[in-house]
Amino acid sequence: MNRETVIEVSGLYKRFGTFTANDNLNFSVYRGEIFGFLGANGAGKTTAMKILCGLSKPSAGKATVAGFDVYRQSEKIKQNIGYMSQRFSLYEDLSIIENIVFYGGIYGLSYREIQIRAKEMLTNLGLWNIRRKVISSLPLGWKQKISFSLAMLHNPSIIFLDEPTGGVDPVTRRQFWEMIYNAAEKGFTVFVTTHYMDEAEYCDRVSIMVDGRIVALDTPKALKQQYSAGSMEEVFLKLARNKELEKEHIL
Amino acid sequence: MNGNFGIEVRGLSKSFGKTKALKNVSLAVEKGSIFGLIGPDGAGKSTLFRILTTLYLPDSGEAFVSGLHCVKNYKEIRKRVGYMPGRFSLYQDLTVEENLSFYASVFKTTVKENYHLIKDIYQQIEPFKNRRAGNLSGGMKQKLALSCALVHKPEVLFLDEPTTGVDAVSRKEFWDMLKELKNSGITILVSTPYMDEAMLCDRTGFIQNGAVLKTGIPESIIDDFQGEMFSVTTSKPQETVKLLSEELGDNTVFRFGSELHIYGNPSMEIFLKAFKESHPGLNLEIQNTRPGIEDCFIQLMNSNNES
Amino acid sequence: MRSFWAFVKKEFYHIFRDRRTLLILFGIPVAQILIFGFVVTNELKDMRIAFLDHSNDEVTHEIREKIIASGFFINDAILESTNQIEPAFKKGNIRQVVVFEDHFQQKLNREGKAAVQIITDASDANTASQLVNYTSAIIMQYVNEINAGKALPMTIHTEARMFYNESLKGVYLFVPGTIVLILMLISAIMTSISITREKEMGTMETLLVSPLKPAQIILGKVMPYMLLALVNAIPIALLGYFIFGLPIQGSIVLLALESLLFITLALALGILFSTIAPNQMVAMFASMIGLLLPTLILSGFIFPLENMPQWLQIFSYILPPRWFLTIIKNIMLKGAGLEFVWRETLILAGMTIVLFTVSIKKFKIRLQ
C-alpha cells in the first residue's frame, strides 16, 4: 500500500517494573482509515493509546504520530490529534457554544475562527438554534455527537476514540458510526477502541491485542477467513480466550 | 401473584420530579430462568432494579420477588435476593478475600458455608485473593462482585449491567456462569446495553424511555420483525448511502462494515433492484438477510416514537 | 453480632489503608495545637464581676459604682468573705473579684493610701490581663479625681492576682479548645464522609439490600471513629502538658467520660449530616461550615461569648461545643468536679439522645 502513513509504530515496548504492558508492537495506520484497536481488559490497549497521544513515553522502540516523534515532540502530537473518551469530556454546566469556545481556545484558535467553525459544526449537527442550551439538559446521543465534532474542531489529522459508544441506544450508535464514516471520508484518520464486537466489523482494519502483543491485524473480512469464523466476536474469542486465562494464572 | 414466577411486575410507574423514569412497566420472569432487560443508558433499567430490590418505592403498580411484595415484605426480600448494582459494589481498598467475607458476614453466613455455590466463579479469582479489589481488571472485578452477590445463596439474582465496559472474553465467561447458576435454580434478572447478549437470555425485554417495548423469547422477537432486511454490498459505500438515504429517508439505511443494511417492506426489493439498474457504477449486490436483535430494537424504537 | 464486628473490622481497614484519612486523624490535631499558640483579642464588655468589700464605706461604694458605670462590667454578686471567692469562680460566670481592705476610707484619709486586690480568672489569658488593666485604670482615674486641688496626693494601691493560670498563658485556653475541635472534626466529619463515601461508591446499595438493620450499619460505622477520637485526645493532652506545661487539675476519668459523651454526640451529628448530604464533597463542606466554624467562633474558643450580641449568645446555647468547652475548661484548668459541671453534662446528654434518635430515624432504609 502506498498510502500516506499517519501512525507508525515499530518495536515498541512499555514496561512497568517487571511487567511488560506493550511487547514489541509493530503497525502502521494510514490516512483516512478507520482503525479498530481491540483487546481484552488489561491487554495493554490503554497503555499504547497513552503513548500514541503523547501522554506517556515508551520504554523502547519507535513511534511517530502525524509525523511527530513520541519521545521528543509530544506537544506537537497533542496539537495534531483529537481525543474523545467514553466520558465525553464536555462541561455539563456550560452551554454548547461555551464548550466550543473553551475548547477552541485551548487549541489556540482565534475568536473569529472559533465562531466560523462553531457555526459550521453546529449547522451540520442541526444544533445551531439550541447552541445556548446547557449540556446537562441534552440527551446522551447529542452529547456524544457534540464531543466527537469537538474532537475534530482543530482539524487534527487523527482522532482517537476510546470506547465512544458505551451505553447509547442502537439508533444513536449507528448514527454515530455514520459520523465516523463521514469523517474518514473527509480524510480524518480514526483510531477507535470498543468492546462492541459488531463495531469491529465496521472498521477498515482491526488489530487485536492479547497480553501486550498484537496477535492479529487485518481487515475484518480477512480475519474472519483466516480464523474461519462467522463474526469478529468469534475471532476475538479464539484469539483472546486461552491466552487471557494463561496470563491470569501466571500473574 | 403466580407461584411460577421468580419476579412479577405489574404496571409499575415511577417519576423523579418531572422525569418519568418508568411508565406502566409489566413483566414476569419464570423461576430458574434468565431474563435480559436490554436498553440504553437512562432507559429506566436501574430504576426498575432498585424498585425490585426494595431500594425505591414505586409511585404506582405492584411488584413481587419470590412471591413477596416489594413494599410490604421488603425485609424478607432483602434476605433472599442477591444484588449487583451498576458499578460493581466492591470496597476498592479491601482485598478480594476481605470483600467476600465481609459480604458473607453481612448476610449472616460464611464463605465456607456456601462455598459450593461460588466455587466455579471464585476459583478463577482465588489466586489473587490478597489483591485489593481496586487493582483488579474489569473481568475479575465482575467475577468478585458476582461471588459477593451469591455468597448468601439468594433465590433471585439482580445484575444491573454486569458486563458494561468488560471485554468480550470476560463477557462470554460471565454468561457461561449465569447459565450454570440458572441450572441450579436461581432466577436471574440481568440488564445490559449490549444487544447481542439478548440472544443468551431465555426471555428478553426491550426498554426505552421508561417503557418496555416488547418482551419475549429472543428468536421469536426476531421472527416478529416487520418487513424485510436487505444487505447490500457496493464498491462506493459513501455515495450509495447518500443516494439511498435521499430516496428512503433517515434511519433506514445503515452501514454495516463493508455492507449496507436496509430494511423495509417486501416492495423494497423491487425498489433496490431498480436502483441497482439505474446506478451500474456502484456495483451493487443485493441479498435478503435475517435481521439481528438490534434491528428489531431499532424497528420497535421507531414505531414507538411514531405512535 | 458477628456481622457487626465484621463491619467494624472493615471500617478499620478503610481507615488504616487511606493515608489521607490517617493524616487528617493524626496530623491535623498536632498541627492545630501548635498553630493556635496565640490568641485573638477583642474588646470586652459586660464581664461579670463580684465585690468583696471588707470596708463598706462611702469611698468603696463610689469606686464600685465607677467600675460598674464603665460599661465593661456587670455586678454579679457581693461576697461576704474570702472563702466565697473560689466557689464563685468555679461556678464559672464570674471573671473578676475586686477586694477592698477594711477601713478603706479611713486609711485613705489618714494615711493617704489604701489597697485594692483585683483577682481575675485567667484561664482565658488575654481577657484576664485586659480586665485587670481596665479595673486598675478606673481606680486610678478615681484617685486622680479626688486628688484634684489637694496638696497631699492620696494613692490607692492595686494588687492584681490571677486565678488558675497565674502566668497568663493563652495556650491554656487553646488546648481545651483544640480538643473540642479535634473531637468534633474526627467524630462528625469523618463519619459523615465515610457514610457518604459508601453512598457514592454504590456499596450502600448492597448494604441496604441485606438483612442489616439501620442501627447496625450506623453503629458499625461509628464505633471505630469513637475509639479513634478518644485515642486522639490523648496526644493532644500530652502535647499540652509537655510542650505548653498545661496541668490537668481535675479528674482524668471524669475528663475521659465527658469526652466520650461529646464524641457520641458529634458522631450522631455526623450521621445526621450524612443522611442529608448526597456525596462526600457536600458532607465535607456541610460539616466544615455547619460544625467547624461554629465550634471555632461561637463556642467561646476564640472569641469571648460575653462580648457577642444577645442573639448570637442565645444561638450559642444550641451548640454542643459551647457546653463541652465549659466542661473541659472547668475540669482541666479549675479542677472542677462533676458537681460544678452537671448542668452542662445534662444538656449534652440530652442533645445526644435527641440527635441519635433523629439520625437513626432519618437514616433511610431505601435510597430516597
Side-chain angles (χ1 to χ4, degrees):
Chain A
M1 247 184 271
N2 51 5
R3 294 165 70 185
E4 187 191 339
T5 309
V6 279
I7 298 177
E8 180 79 65
V9 174
S10 68
L12 188 84
Y13 285 88
K14 178 74 183 183
R15 295 192 186 88
F16 298 102
T18 56
F19 175 68
T20 307
N22 289 158
D23 191 352
N24 191 18
L25 302 187
N26 296 283
F27 64 92
S28 308
V29 181
Y30 305 107
R31 175 163 306 282
E33 181 173 46
I34 301 172
F35 189 85
F37 199 58
L38 310 186
N41 298 113
K45 276 180 305 173
T46 313
T47 312
M49 276 266 269
K50 275 190 182 161
I51 292 174
L52 296 179
C53 292
L55 298 174
S56 133
K57 291 203 176 4
S59 310
K62 266 195 211 161
T64 58
V65 176
F68 299 107
D69 183 74
V70 292
Y71 291 94
R72 293 173 289 111
Q73 295 170 300
S74 58
E75 288 313 310
K76 284 262 199 257
I77 289 176
K78 287 179 198 164
Q79 279 288 334
N80 283 283
I81 61 167
Y83 178 81
M84 173 194 164
S85 77
Q86 207 175 5
R87 296 199 169 176
F88 305 143
S89 54
L90 294 174
Y91 291 95
E92 294 275 323
D93 50 350
L94 297 186
S95 70
I96 300 177
I97 192 80
E98 283 161 350
N99 265 290
I100 299 177
V101 169
F102 170 74
Y103 196 81
I106 287 182
Y107 281 92
L109 302 180
S110 72
Y111 189 70
R112 260 187 68 84
E113 203 158 357
I114 293 172
Q115 293 291 315
I116 295 165
R117 292 193 195 183
K119 178 143 195 189
E120 188 193 332
M121 166 186 155
L122 291 177
T123 316
N124 279 339
L125 291 173
L127 298 176
W128 178 249
N129 290 332
I130 57 156
R131 63 189 178 280
R132 295 195 204 290
K133 272 208 167 188
V134 175
I135 295 289
S136 58
S137 67
L138 303 176
L140 191 65
W142 291 13
K143 290 186 201 171
Q144 194 184 37
K145 287 171 195 166
I146 294 169
S147 50
F148 181 59
S149 305
L150 261 186
M152 293 192 294
L153 189 74
H154 60 291
N155 251 323
S157 42
I158 308 147
I159 306 154
F160 288 89
L161 304 176
D162 193 3
E163 291 180 37
T165 55
V168 300
D169 67 70
V171 172
T172 311
R173 194 152 71 95
R174 289 189 177 185
Q175 288 170 348
F176 188 74
W177 270 92
E178 266 328 298
M179 286 183 76
I180 295 181
Y181 281 121
N182 289 333
E185 213 74 44
K186 284 183 199 149
F188 290 102
T189 307
V190 180
F191 188 99
V192 58
T193 71
T194 179
H195 285 314
Y196 288 93
M197 283 305 127
D198 55 337
E199 290 186 351
E201 315 260 1
Y202 303 166
C203 300
D204 293 323
R205 284 194 307 147
V206 168
S207 79
I208 297 177
M209 259 185 107
V210 176
D211 203 4
R213 266 172 249 160
I214 290 180
V215 294
L217 201 176
D218 214 325
T219 61
K221 206 172 173 184
L223 286 175
K224 280 186 278 187
Q225 260 166 14
Q226 190 186 338
Y227 293 93
S228 47
S231 66
M232 277 308 291
E233 169 146 23
E234 274 179 56
V235 174
F236 186 79
L237 290 178
K238 275 187 180 166
L239 282 167
R241 192 162 199 181
N242 297 326
K243 304 213 175 177
E244 189 60 21
L245 282 177
E246 261 170 48
K247 183 186 134 203
E248 293 207 340
H249 285 285
I250 293 165
L251 270 176
Chain B
M1 187 178 32
N2 186 318
N4 291 328
F5 291 127
I7 301 167
E8 204 183 349
V9 176
R10 287 193 215 136
L12 274 192
S13 293
K14 174 82 184 168
S15 298
F16 299 100
K18 280 182 186 162
T19 323
K20 284 184 179 163
L22 288 181
K23 303 170 199 162
N24 195 22
V25 167
S26 299
L27 54 85
V29 184
E30 269 176 51
K31 273 189 181 155
S33 76
I34 302 180
F35 188 99
L37 196 61
I38 320 282
D41 285 1
K45 297 185 304 253
S46 297
T47 307
L48 179 60
F49 271 75
R50 285 174 173 168
I51 290 175
L52 293 174
T53 51
T54 75
L55 289 170
Y56 282 164
L57 294 171
D59 294 341
S60 61
E62 281 184 312
F64 298 90
V65 173
S66 258
L68 298 160
H69 193 279
C70 271
V71 178
K72 291 177 203 147
N73 303 87
Y74 79 94
K75 279 188 181 159
E76 192 54 33
I77 289 180
R78 288 179 182 192
K79 287 180 196 158
R80 297 205 205 167
V81 303
Y83 174 41
M84 191 169 147
R87 287 161 307 142
F88 315 137
S89 179
L90 297 170
Y91 292 97
Q92 309 287 329
D93 51 347
L94 298 193
T95 65
V96 168
E97 205 177 21
E98 285 161 359
N99 264 293
L100 189 63
S101 54
F102 172 69
Y103 278 114
S105 58
V106 159
F107 284 93
K108 306 186 189 334
T109 177
T110 57
V111 178
K112 238 189 210 164
E113 208 170 307
N114 291 315
Y115 190 70
H116 61 279
L117 249 177
I118 56 167
K119 191 175 148 211
D120 289 341
I121 304 158
Y122 188 61
Q123 266 177 350
Q124 299 179 42
I125 46 172
E126 213 164 7
F128 320 104
K129 64 180 182 191
N130 292 323
R131 199 184 280 189
R132 298 214 183 145
N135 298 333
L136 294 176
S137 74
M140 289 198 274
K141 268 185 197 164
Q142 179 200 41
K143 282 166 197 161
L144 174 58
L146 182 62
S147 304
C148 290
L150 274 174
V151 73
H152 60 289
K153 206 179 172 192
E155 293 165 20
V156 182
L157 199 51
F158 293 96
L159 309 171
D160 193 4
E161 299 210 11
T163 54
T164 298
V166 171
D167 66 70
V169 177
S170 304
R171 256 155 56 197
K172 179 85 174 47
E173 286 171 2
F174 193 79
W175 277 94
D176 292 342
M177 290 173 211
L178 292 192
K179 287 239 164 74
E180 289 292 313
L181 290 173
K182 177 189 99 170
N183 292 337
S184 71
I186 297 178
T187 309
I188 302 172
L189 180 65
V190 56
S191 73
T192 175
Y194 298 96
M195 297 288 148
D196 50 343
E197 292 182 350
M199 300 309 291
L200 304 168
C201 306
D202 296 315
R203 286 176 76 83
T204 183
F206 291 151
I207 184 167
Q208 166 84 358
N209 292 332
V212 171
L213 304 179
K214 192 180 180 103
T215 64
I217 297 163
E219 283 299 334
S220 60
I221 287 182
I222 293 180
D223 291 339
D224 288 349
F225 187 80
Q226 302 289 309
E228 305 282 324
M229 190 82 195
F230 300 97
S231 130
V232 176
T233 56
T234 163
S235 57
K236 293 173 181 162
Q238 172 78 2
E239 205 181 327
T240 314
V241 169
K242 214 177 148 202
L243 287 169
L244 280 173
S245 295
E246 274 166 20
E247 298 277 347
L248 299 169
D250 290 340
N251 296 345
T252 315
V253 185
F254 290 102
R255 254 191 271 200
F256 195 84
S258 54
E259 301 168 2
L260 305 182
H261 279 190
I262 299 160
Y263 78 84
N265 48 32
S267 69
M268 178 69 82
E269 192 166 5
I270 302 164
F271 166 80
L272 287 174
K273 284 200 171 131
F275 183 81
K276 181 185 172 182
E277 298 287 311
S278 55
H279 297 83
L282 298 175
N283 297 319
L284 298 183
E285 289 293 332
I286 300 161
Q287 262 187 325
N288 211 317
T289 184
R290 185 169 164 81
I293 197 89
E294 184 167 293
D295 298 309
C296 299
F297 194 153
I298 291 176
Q299 190 172 59
L300 284 164
M301 265 178 76
N302 287 339
S303 63
N304 205 53
N305 288 345
E306 281 157 24
S307 65
Chain C
M1 206 55 200
R2 202 182 53 210
S3 44
F4 174 73
W5 287 116
F7 213 115
V8 173
K9 196 168 89 186
K10 179 213 97 182
E11 215 50 43
F12 271 116
Y13 284 145
H14 288 320
I15 296 166
F16 289 119
R17 281 180 191 174
D18 183 14
R19 256 181 245 147
R20 279 179 308 170
T21 313
L22 277 181
L23 193 74
I24 294 177
L25 283 178
F26 294 102
I28 287 182
V30 174
Q32 221 156 26
I33 206 154
L34 293 175
I35 288 167
F36 287 138
F38 61 92
V39 185
V40 184
T41 51
N42 270 75
E43 271 268 321
L44 302 173
K45 65 175 205 248
D46 291 345
M47 306 306 277
R48 296 195 170 268
I49 193 169
F51 295 99
L52 175 56
D53 197 343
H54 292 301
S55 177
N56 236 336
D57 55 39
E58 247 178 72
V59 176
T60 59
H61 278 245
E62 267 182 51
I63 295 177
R64 274 156 59 177
E65 266 168 40
K66 286 262 173 204
I67 291 176
I68 301 303
S70 71
F72 299 121
F73 300 101
I74 289 175
N75 187 359
D76 188 72
I78 306 291
L79 306 179
E80 303 294 337
S81 75
T82 318
N83 299 337
Q84 290 176 333
I85 297 177
E86 182 121 20
F89 275 122
K90 274 199 177 155
K91 262 206 271 168
N93 42 5
I94 288 176
R95 309 300 290 259
Q96 195 171 54
V97 177
V98 177
V99 186
F100 297 95
E101 65 169 330
D102 48 12
H103 310 298
F104 193 89
Q105 188 176 19
Q106 259 180 332
K107 282 184 184 166
L108 197 62
N109 286 337
R110 280 193 204 147
E111 304 165 30
K113 59 179 184 186
V116 174
Q117 197 181 31
I118 304 167
I119 307 172
T120 309
D121 176 351
S123 43
D124 176 351
N126 279 46
T127 313
S129 52
Q130 268 180 295
L131 285 177
V132 173
N133 290 342
Y134 285 11
T135 317
S136 318
I138 293 164
I139 295 170
M140 289 313 288
Q141 207 188 341
Y142 175 76
V143 174
N144 287 342
E145 272 171 37
I146 55 172
N147 277 347
K150 286 193 180 161
L152 267 177
M154 294 184 274
T155 54
I156 295 177
H157 177 71
T158 55
E159 184 207 16
R161 258 197 69 191
M162 299 296 176
F163 248 44
Y164 308 119
N165 177 7
E166 306 224 349
S167 49
L168 282 181
K169 283 186 175 172
V171 71
Y172 280 10
L173 177 66
F174 278 87
V175 173
T178 311
I179 292 184
V180 175
L181 202 60
I182 297 306
L183 295 187
M184 198 73 179
L185 182 88
I186 294 173
S187 315
I189 300 185
M190 297 306 285
T191 33
S192 67
I193 288 177
S194 87
I195 293 178
T196 43
R197 183 172 56 193
E198 297 234 13
K199 280 199 213 170
E200 225 171 293
M201 298 301 291
T203 43
M204 190 53 90
E205 269 181 70
T206 18
L207 291 184
L208 287 175
V209 186
S210 80
L212 285 181
K213 293 183 184 68
Q216 278 175 307
I217 298 180
I218 287 179
L219 287 179
K221 293 236 69 135
V222 147
M223 183 83 150
Y225 291 101
M226 192 183 257
L227 286 175
L228 280 176
L230 259 188
V231 167
N232 233 291
I234 295 168
I236 303 171
L238 287 179
L239 221 59
Y241 184 79
F242 286 110
I243 296 187
F244 300 109
L246 169 84
I248 297 173
Q249 304 282 10
S251 144
I252 290 178
V253 176
L254 182 64
L255 189 65
L257 287 176
E258 294 279 1
S259 303
L260 196 64
L261 176 64
F262 181 67
I263 289 167
T264 317
L265 186 146
L267 291 171
L269 264 176
I271 298 162
L272 197 62
F273 273 67
S274 73
T275 58
I276 302 161
N279 55 46
Q280 292 183 67
M281 187 91 120
V282 176
M284 183 89 168
F285 278 111
S287 0
M288 281 288 183
I289 291 166
L291 298 177
L292 262 195
L293 287 185
T295 306
L296 276 172
I297 297 167
L298 292 176
S299 67
F301 174 15
I302 293 181
F303 308 107
L305 285 169
E306 290 89 338
N307 297 340
M308 291 185 182
Q310 186 79 24
W311 64 273
L312 266 184
Q313 290 196 31
I314 291 170
F315 179 67
S316 77
Y317 289 140
I318 62 161
L319 295 174
R322 177 214 159 106
W323 303 108
F324 184 57
L325 191 64
T326 312
I327 294 174
I328 195 171
K329 262 160 64 179
N330 276 321
I331 296 175
M332 287 182 82
L333 302 176
K334 303 184 190 170
L338 190 59
E339 65 272 24
F340 292 104
V341 293
W342 64 268
R343 204 169 53 109
E344 287 83 358
T345 309
L346 266 186
I347 292 173
L348 282 186
M351 286 177 165
T352 310
I353 292 167
V354 171
L355 281 174
F356 245 98
T357 323
V358 172
S359 58
I360 288 187
K361 279 250 164 69
K362 274 214 72 150
F363 188 85
K364 297 176 190 93
I365 51 162
R366 300 178 202 276
L367 279 179
Q368 28 146 226

